[in-house]
């Protein structure tokens, strides 16, 4: 790594650290929890971050869970790791071992096509809300978006959760970019336009 590359990487680390440090105050505010100031919009928020900093964000989420438990024990916060929920869902339906074998033998494209039906959001989201959000939390944190691609797309998941969560605040941790109109996974793969979420920390 050259000196210039090192300086650029350090700047990204500092910027991300500063943005992460703003999260606790933001998500525990009365304004955030009540959805005030959002008009008739849903309370969905996106925290986007450089995909190469995935491990740093994972570590932060562990820290955040402990912090909220200690300092805001009155809040019920559910952290949904999409990869864990997807694994449990496929296991329950008897697809997990077959899916792993197909991916190894035929690749991602064949697996995605085979699971189009079972992973339709009309089937997966009821499972998610029934098993991962059964305790009626005050807020929902979702991670693991990059780990479930291409089997699952963030905009499809969020669209399916609208009617089930309503104004309940949800934060999606997204490895890529969100400009208020478009999600770009890994800063490379553009999704369908998505307008119904707010940037948690610009």
């Amino acid at each position: 790594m050259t000196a210039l590359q090192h300086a650029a990487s350090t700047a990204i680390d500092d910027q991300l650290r500063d943005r992460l440090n703003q999260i606790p105050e933001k998500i525990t505010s009365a304004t955030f929890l009540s959805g005030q100031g959002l008009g008739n919009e849903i309370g969905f928020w996106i925290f986007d971050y450089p995909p190469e900093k995935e491990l740093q964000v994972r570590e932060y989420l562990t820290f955040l869970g402990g912090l909220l438990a200690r300092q805001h024990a009155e809040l019920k916060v559910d952290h949904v790791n999409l990869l864990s929920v997807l694994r449990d869902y496929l296991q329950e339906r008897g697809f997990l071992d077959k899916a792993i074998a197909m991916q190894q033998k035929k690749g991602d494209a064949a697996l995605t096509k085979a699971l189009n039906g079972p992973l339709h959001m009309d089937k997966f989201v009821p499972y998610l809300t029934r098993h991962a959000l059964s305790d009626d939390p005050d807020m929902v944190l979702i991670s693991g978006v990059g780990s479930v691609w291409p089997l699952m797309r963030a905009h499809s998941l969020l669209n399916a959760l609208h009617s089930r969560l309503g104004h309940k605040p949800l934060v999606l941790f997204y490895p890529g970019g969100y400009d208020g109109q478009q999600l770009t996974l890994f800063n490379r793969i553009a999704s369908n336009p998505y307008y119904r979420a707010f940037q948690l920390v610009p």
Side-chain angles (χ1 to χ4, degrees):
M1 180 182 293
T2 67
L4 184 60
Q5 289 173 323
H6 177 74
S9 177
T10 301
I12 291 173
D13 286 342
D14 290 345
Q15 183 184 32
L16 178 59
R17 188 178 302 109
D18 179 66
R19 292 177 65 228
L20 289 169
N21 287 338
Q22 295 179 53
I23 291 177
E25 183 177 358
K26 177 82 174 182
I27 66 175
T28 57
S29 70
T31 300
F32 176 89
L33 292 169
S34 66
Q36 294 175 12
L38 299 182
N40 292 322
E41 295 292 334
I42 57 175
F44 282 17
W45 302 81
I46 291 175
F47 183 89
D48 57 353
Y49 57 91
E52 63 270 21
K53 301 302 179 183
E54 174 69 26
L55 294 181
Q56 184 176 340
V57 172
R58 290 183 191 179
E59 291 177 1
Y60 178 80
L61 282 169
T62 299
F63 162 79
L64 179 63
L67 179 71
L68 293 174
R70 291 192 305 272
Q71 298 185 3
H72 299 277
E74 75 283 0
L75 293 177
K76 288 193 293 183
V77 182
D78 283 354
H79 175 199
V80 176
N81 182 293
L82 288 175
L83 182 60
S84 296
V85 177
L86 174 62
R87 179 199 61 212
D88 293 345
Y89 172 75
L90 292 176
Q91 180 73 57
E92 182 175 295
R93 299 199 63 181
F95 294 145
L96 184 60
D97 291 339
K98 296 175 184 177
I100 293 172
M102 175 174 285
Q103 194 278 335
Q104 292 174 339
K105 185 175 181 180
K106 297 185 177 180
D108 290 342
L111 178 62
T112 300
K113 182 177 181 180
L115 291 179
N116 270 343
L119 288 183
H120 192 283
M121 289 297 107
D122 287 347
K123 298 177 181 177
F124 178 75
V125 166
Y127 175 90
L128 185 153
T129 54
R130 187 168 65 251
H131 289 271
L133 304 175
S134 60
D135 58 344
D136 190 27
D138 296 304
M139 78 175 77
V140 179
L141 310 178
I142 296 182
S143 65
V145 172
S147 299
V148 299
W149 185 88
L151 299 178
M152 196 174 299
R153 308 297 175 103
H155 70 276
S156 298
L157 176 67
L158 293 177
N159 282 331
L161 284 169
H162 290 167
S163 61
R164 293 181 173 271
L165 294 184
H167 288 277
K168 188 183 299 292
L170 175 150
V171 179
L172 178 73
F173 288 83
Y174 190 78
Y178 180 61
D179 61 6
Q181 298 183 338
Q182 183 112 22
L183 290 159
T184 306
L185 188 65
F186 309 135
N187 290 329
R188 295 182 179 182
I189 305 165
S191 71
N192 291 347
Y194 186 79
Y195 306 91
R196 301 188 68 184
F198 302 87
Q199 288 184 303
L200 183 68
V201 181

